Amino acid sequence: MRNFILLLFLPFVITYNVNAQTPITAALKVSGKVADITTGKPVEYASVVLLRQADSSMVTGAYTSPAGGFSLNNITPGIYILRITFMGYEKLEKAIRVVEGKNTLAGTLRLQPAGKVLNAVEIKAEKPSFSMQIDRQVFDAGNMINAEGGTGTDILKNIPSVDVDIDDNITLRGKSVTIYVDGKPSPFGDAKTALQMIPAESIDRVEVINNPSAKFEAQGSGGIINIVLKKDKAIGYNVMFNVGGATRGEGFGSANASLRMKRFNFFGNYNGRYEAVNGSGYSYRQNLVADSSHTQFFSQASKNENHNVNNGGRWGFDYFMDDHNTFTISEGVNYNTNRNEDHIFLNYLDEAYQPLRNGQRTNNSHNNSNNNNTNLNYKHTFDKPNQELTAYISYSGNKSNNYSDYNTQYHTIGVDTLPNANKQNNTGINGNRFWNMQSDYTSPIGQKGKLEAGVKGTMRHIDNNYTALIYDWNVKDYVVSHALSNQYNYEEDIYAGYINYANAIGNLGYQVGVRAEQSHLKGYAVTRDTTVNNRFFNLFPSVFFKYNMPKNQNQSLVFNYSTRIDRPNFDQLLPYINNSDPQNIRIGNPELQPALSHKFEISYSEYYPKSNNYMSISTYYAQTNDNIDRISTLDTISGITTTKPMNLATQQNIGGNVSYSLNITKWWKVWANLNLEYNKLTSITVNNKNFSYGLNGNTQFRLPGKVSIELSGHFRSPRIQPQGTFKAMNGMDFGIRKELLKSKALVVALNISDILNTQQFNSHYETATFIQDYDRKRTTRFIRLNIRYRFGKMDPNLFKKKKPQEEEEKHEEEKPKEGGGRL
């Protein structure tokens, strides 16, 4: 820990060295003023960005002063584009030329208020629903009508290559994925939990990073999904209320608010959700080797009811200390209560399909948990354009209490009396403490180069105390089961450092980097006297190339390579026995080792500015060594299967992806994605391969009366697993949204999830001792209504004191005194 804290000072040392070694050309300045075209008043805190005309890359930027003025320093001679943006105004761009030896005066740039009306037709700029960057795909969440009223999970159901099963588990191209929120790892546990805590209306966009660079943590062979939340940092206030419900027994509501003054930006939100979801399942197994009771065929049907209450919030503030230093402090809390009831019906048949015995099991469980997260962020910018230093520290805590009871009654055919029921009570107390610290430094080198470096440390500590009590009919009381009980302490420490260098040669841009991670996973099971103590050091190189076509800058070709890792998580390493399903037991594996992946991808993209259409074509290859997956074995005596995670095989994936965003008319647009993939698992004990494909489609209509309609669907063909296949999945969703009031402040949305009621989970297993088919279904078809109301005022002069009239007039007459150049 002490060594890591010392490493946090590394970026400051790099800052000094780079500044000392990088020559600075003669300092030139671009200055000007931004004003409202109608009133002539200055626009305070407007965003001013300077872009190179050749490739639209950003050089530097600033916010305007209370008087509307701006000054951009250390600018080299050349031709540039000034881009001015501010909420409530149309974007303004102006070309300027900076000449040697002269400061440049851009003059007064006058912004046009947003929303012109021509012949009763509103002209409105929209973000593209899909775009491609050098290392990621970007999807606009605001365009997803059928996710209105849902959570982050519902947003991801509309993203290509992302699979969301009926239990809301997330994978990317069939691999595990790491969830980021605003560029940082989610503080609230696994991907499923993190996404369920985020209302869909608070998400601005989703960034899918299949091959992350060395800047990002290496965990997750599938890549990273970054959830970018909406932010309002313009002077003024903004408030949004959201309320709704669904026919499956769901109610929800949220409130978001922000208040920006000159030096402070306060923000906060609260959301609550109640769900009552029913489900069912059926499995049919053929034992190729009969057990001791001569069972040859076994079937199991189940029904369950799940009630979940989740509520929480987040609040904090940004403090803009000066033009170069910003601090952000935030606090988040979340409370969750879950109640689940399962009814399982079991049937045992002999080789002639005659019943041998049957059984009924009832499982009841209750869970209460609370989460808290505290964040401190710091950002420092330098006088040198695009040079910055950031740092943050985050602490998360989780506590949960679990209670469950299992009651199983068997009946043997031909026997009149029933044996005593098997009864089991379980209690669990869990605690999770998670520290996350990181510091990053970025500095330009020369005209096109950029250096990035940083260090990071994550420390997680988990305490798990699970006690299982079995009812002893001889003593008429519950006694502790030492075979099922487990007290476990686990600690995971990961320390990392990285360096990236980017530059360009003509139209070819490149980025090379390497990340080093030292990991220590250690755990001890008190009741089983079992120890986990794994240390490993890994280097993760990454390479990116982007080539802009000389004759068409809207075309680009990208190649990237990166390495990733899947470390076994706490649940997989924990030496537990989960017997909630008496015929299908799950256990952990303390001997698991990490799995390493090598990933290559080549993509071509083209943007059509006249039509605003977009196309992307890519091909990829990934190989994972010591792939972690679950494997099931049958006890031929008891007839019980045991499922255990293991380092099974080498997995290879070769695929291709095509995405196209098409604006057919101003009121009709279509987006589609096709993914083709060949999968292969190879080892001494496992050999499986198949060809699979997936198709996502979406079409939106903008109708008169401020009405929008969306229809989306997806299909995924069967995909392999070590002992069989996951069967095909498909679904279709519909949404309609109506904007009300003159300002469109009130929005009503109605959507129908899984119109055809086809969303379900199916799997097929084939082994040397059994063949099994397993189907599960939850309430996926439902109607959801969502109502959203938003109000606020964004005005740079909102919190300014009124000046005397003569002082205002004098201020308007002031002119910049510097000379300038022009085209």
Side-chain angles (χ1 to χ4, degrees):
M1 180 72 175
R2 183 180 63 184
N3 293 334
F4 175 74
I5 294 176
L6 292 175
L7 282 174
L8 285 174
F9 290 94
L10 177 62
F12 295 92
V13 177
I14 295 174
T15 303
Y16 175 80
N17 289 335
V18 171
N19 283 334
Q21 297 173 16
T22 304
I24 303 296
T25 58
L28 297 175
K29 182 165 62 175
V30 174
S31 60
K33 181 180 176 181
V34 179
D36 186 295
I37 195 172
T38 304
T39 65
K41 292 184 177 181
V43 178
E44 182 181 8
Y45 285 99
S47 172
V48 181
V49 177
L50 188 67
L51 308 173
R52 290 188 180 89
Q53 187 189 56
D55 56 5
S56 296
S57 62
M58 178 176 156
V59 176
T60 187
Y63 288 103
T64 56
S65 68
F70 65 88
S71 180
L72 308 175
N73 301 318
N74 299 324
I75 309 301
T76 58
I79 300 176
Y80 299 91
I81 301 294
L82 266 176
R83 177 181 293 169
I84 317 295
T85 55
F86 188 72
M87 184 172 293
Y89 291 93
E90 300 287 355
K91 179 178 68 176
L92 184 148
E93 292 186 345
K94 178 181 180 180
I96 63 170
R97 182 192 298 275
V98 178
V99 298
E100 187 71 42
K102 288 186 179 181
N103 290 323
T104 301
L105 177 63
T108 300
L109 305 172
R110 303 186 183 277
L111 297 184
Q112 172 74 46
K116 299 179 182 179
V117 178
L118 299 176
N119 298 326
V121 178
E122 182 182 13
I123 306 299
K124 180 182 177 182
E126 288 189 343
K127 293 187 295 184
S129 58
F130 165 75
S131 63
M132 186 80 178
Q133 298 181 9
I134 187 172
D135 65 342
R136 68 194 66 189
Q137 295 174 308
V138 182
F139 301 87
D140 176 29
N143 284 329
M144 299 177 185
I145 300 173
N146 53 33
E148 292 258 7
T151 65
T153 304
D154 297 288
I155 292 288
L156 291 190
K157 290 177 181 178
N158 295 276
I159 305 297
S161 301
V162 176
D163 287 325
V164 182
D165 66 18
I166 61 171
D167 294 317
D168 294 337
N169 297 304
I170 313 296
T171 55
L172 180 58
R173 290 179 179 171
K175 293 289 190 176
S176 65
V177 65
T178 300
I179 297 295
Y180 276 35
V181 178
D182 287 335
K184 301 179 181 65
S186 169
F188 292 123
D190 61 278
K192 174 181 175 180
T193 303
L195 290 166
Q196 290 176 341
M197 294 182 181
I198 305 175
E201 286 70 30
S202 66
I203 299 176
D204 179 62
R205 64 183 185 274
V206 176
E207 299 177 345
V208 178
I209 312 173
N210 291 297
N211 282 14
S213 73
K215 182 176 181 177
F216 298 93
E217 63 176 308
Q219 174 67 24
S221 59
I224 292 172
I225 296 176
N226 183 33
I227 306 295
V228 181
L229 302 180
K230 294 177 180 177
K231 299 179 182 66
D232 290 308
K233 291 191 176 182
I235 299 294
Y237 63 91
N238 190 22
V239 181
M240 181 178 71
F241 293 103
N242 196 73
V243 66
T247 55
R248 65 176 178 178
E250 179 182 0
F252 51 86
S254 66
N256 294 268
S258 65
L259 172 64
R260 171 68 193 271
M261 295 182 290
K262 182 177 180 180
R263 293 295 183 188
F264 287 92
N265 178 52
F266 298 94
F267 54 87
N269 67 73
Y270 168 81
N271 66 86
R273 184 175 297 269
Y274 170 78
E275 292 179 319
V277 181
N278 298 327
S280 62
Y282 181 79
S283 67
Y284 181 80
R285 187 178 75 209
Q286 178 185 359
N287 294 342
L288 302 180
V289 179
D291 61 23
S292 58
S293 63
H294 307 292
T295 301
Q296 198 81 41
F297 301 96
F298 166 74
S299 66
Q300 179 173 299
S302 63
K303 294 183 178 180
N304 63 78
E305 297 179 6
N306 184 274
H307 300 264
N308 189 66
V309 179
N310 188 297
N311 68 94
R314 189 166 196 83
W315 59 90
F317 66 90
D318 304 301
Y319 171 54
F320 305 94
M321 188 170 69
D322 52 37
D323 291 341
H324 294 293
N325 297 282
T326 303
F327 292 89
T328 301
I329 299 175
S330 63
E331 176 71 23
V333 295
N334 182 267
Y335 300 94
N336 181 271
T337 301
N338 178 270
R339 177 170 58 86
N340 190 68
E341 183 176 332
D342 289 321
H343 297 277
I344 305 174
F345 305 92
L346 311 112
N347 287 288
Y348 302 80
L349 309 172
D350 62 16
E351 69 278 359
Y353 296 96
Q354 296 301 309
L356 297 171
R357 62 171 180 155
N358 55 54
Q360 181 174 345
R361 182 179 179 104
T362 301
N363 296 344
N364 292 288
S365 63
H366 304 270
N367 174 272
N368 297 297
S369 66
N370 62 80
N371 301 272
N372 70 281
N373 171 250
T374 304
N375 274 286
L376 174 62
N377 295 265
Y378 169 69
K379 179 179 180 180
H380 175 76
T381 59
F382 299 81
D383 289 332
K384 184 179 179 181
N386 297 326
Q387 183 183 15
E388 68 177 34
L389 175 68
T390 61
Y392 78 88
I393 183 170
S394 170
Y395 171 76
S396 303
N398 168 270
K399 294 181 180 179
S400 65
N401 295 283
N402 311 284
Y403 172 80
S404 59
D405 64 77
Y406 308 152
N407 192 317
T408 311
Q409 181 73 61
Y410 290 100
H411 176 248
T412 302
I413 304 302
V415 178
D416 294 332
T417 59
L418 292 175
N420 293 325
N422 297 329
K423 300 169 68 176
Q424 177 181 333
N425 283 347
N426 315 293
T427 58
I429 302 175
N430 304 286
N432 183 344
R433 302 188 301 276
F434 180 35
W435 285 93
N436 192 352
M437 296 179 287
Q438 183 168 337
S439 181
D440 300 280
Y441 171 73
T442 302
S443 177
I445 296 179
Q447 290 189 347
K448 296 183 179 180
K450 182 176 71 172
L451 175 70
E452 295 179 308
V455 292
K456 181 177 182 179
T458 59
M459 289 73 72
R460 187 190 301 272
H461 186 89
I462 300 175
D463 295 313
N464 177 278
N465 193 349
Y466 175 79
T467 303
L469 302 175
I470 304 296
Y471 193 82
D472 189 332
W473 289 94
N474 294 321
V475 299
K476 299 293 190 289
D477 200 2
Y478 285 94
V479 297
V480 175
S481 170
H482 296 287
L484 297 175
S485 300
N486 192 12
Q487 182 180 349
Y488 191 68
N489 302 315
Y490 176 77
E491 187 171 336
E492 178 183 282
D493 298 329
I494 302 173
Y495 303 103
Y498 75 91
I499 186 168
N500 268 338
Y501 177 72
N503 212 324
I505 303 173
N507 288 320
L508 178 65
Y510 64 89
Q511 176 182 285
V512 294
V514 64
R515 184 181 187 89
E517 292 189 350
Q518 173 68 57
S519 306
H520 188 191
L521 314 182
K522 49 187 175 182
Y524 178 65
V526 178
T527 51
R528 297 175 180 274
D529 193 24
T530 302
T531 300
V532 172
N533 191 4
N534 292 337
R535 287 182 180 270
F536 37 89
F537 175 82
N538 301 100
L539 291 176
F540 302 96
S542 64
V543 179
F544 291 79
F545 293 100
K546 182 179 181 181
Y547 182 71
N548 293 316
M549 304 300 181
K551 296 182 179 180
N552 187 349
Q553 293 293 311
N554 292 314
Q555 295 177 330
S556 63
L557 187 65
V558 176
F559 166 82
N560 55 60
Y561 161 77
S562 67
T563 49
R564 307 288 294 167
I565 190 171
D566 282 319
R567 299 183 189 89
N569 59 40
F570 164 73
D571 292 333
Q572 294 171 322
L573 291 169
L574 179 65
Y576 71 100
I577 298 177
N578 183 338
N579 66 332
S580 58
D581 183 342
Q583 289 299 127
N584 299 279
I585 293 176
R586 290 176 174 267
I587 65 175
N589 182 5
E591 298 179 358
L592 281 177
Q593 296 297 313
L596 292 171
S597 298
H598 299 270
K599 305 182 68 178
F600 301 83
E601 184 164 4
I602 300 175
S603 62
Y604 166 81
S605 61
E606 182 170 4
Y607 173 68
Y608 306 92
K610 290 184 178 180
S611 61
N612 205 28
N613 296 340
Y614 200 94
M615 179 184 68
S616 173
I617 303 174
S618 64
T619 181
Y620 58 89
Y621 170 79
Q623 178 172 314
T624 303
N625 300 320
D626 297 321
N627 185 59
I628 299 174
D629 216 325
R630 295 184 179 274
I631 195 165
S632 300
T633 57
L634 175 68
D635 186 326
T636 56
I637 297 176
S638 65
I640 296 175
T641 61
T642 299
T643 301
K644 177 181 180 179
M646 296 179 67
N647 293 105
L648 286 176
T650 296
Q651 181 171 6
Q652 295 173 298
N653 308 86
I654 304 172
N657 191 85
V658 180
S659 294
Y660 200 94
S661 178
L662 174 64
N663 291 274
I664 299 175
T665 68
K666 291 182 178 180
W667 51 269
W668 181 17
K669 60 183 178 181
V670 177
W671 169 84
N673 179 85
L674 173 65
N675 190 76
L676 307 173
E677 189 170 275
Y678 174 76
N679 308 280
K680 185 177 182 181
L681 285 168
T682 307
S683 73
I684 298 176
T685 58
V686 175
N687 284 281
N688 203 355
K689 58 186 177 181
N690 85 329
F691 173 80
S692 64
Y693 62 95
L695 179 64
N696 296 65
N698 177 294
T699 184
Q700 289 187 358
F701 301 90
R702 177 177 293 171
L703 305 179
K706 301 178 184 178
V707 175
S708 300
I709 294 177
E710 178 182 58
L711 181 65
S712 63
H714 68 273
F715 176 84
R716 195 205 71 196
S717 68
R719 175 176 287 165
I720 62 169
Q721 57 176 324
Q723 295 174 295
T725 58
F726 297 111
K727 297 181 182 179
M729 293 178 60
N730 66 91
M732 184 177 293
D733 303 319
F734 171 82
I736 181 169
R737 179 166 62 194
K738 166 70 174 175
E739 296 172 330
L740 300 167
L741 304 181
K742 187 176 180 179
S743 61
K744 303 181 185 179
L746 181 64
V747 177
V748 179
L750 182 74
N751 54 61
I752 305 174
S753 176
D754 193 17
I755 300 173
L756 304 178
N757 200 27
T758 54
Q759 277 277 69
Q760 58 185 359
F761 174 82
N762 311 97
S763 62
H764 176 75
Y765 296 84
E766 286 193 22
T767 73
T769 54
F770 72 92
I771 300 174
Q772 178 173 298
D773 286 282
Y774 181 49
D775 303 323
R776 289 187 60 236
K777 186 79 175 76
R778 296 182 70 191
T779 306
T780 55
R781 182 167 62 183
F782 56 88
I783 300 174
R784 181 164 55 206
L785 176 68
N786 184 69
I787 301 173
R788 183 170 75 250
Y789 179 67
R790 185 169 188 164
F791 64 92
K793 186 175 183 180
M794 297 300 165
D795 184 350
N797 301 308
L798 186 61
F799 301 106
K800 291 178 65 177
K801 293 182 180 179
K802 297 293 183 180
K803 295 182 180 181
Q805 182 66 29
E806 61 272 13
E807 188 176 341
E808 286 286 342
E809 294 175 355
K810 179 181 178 181
H811 178 73
E812 289 296 324
E813 293 174 355
E814 289 180 353
K815 302 293 183 180
K817 298 179 181 180
E818 297 171 342
R822 60 182 179 179
L823 290 177

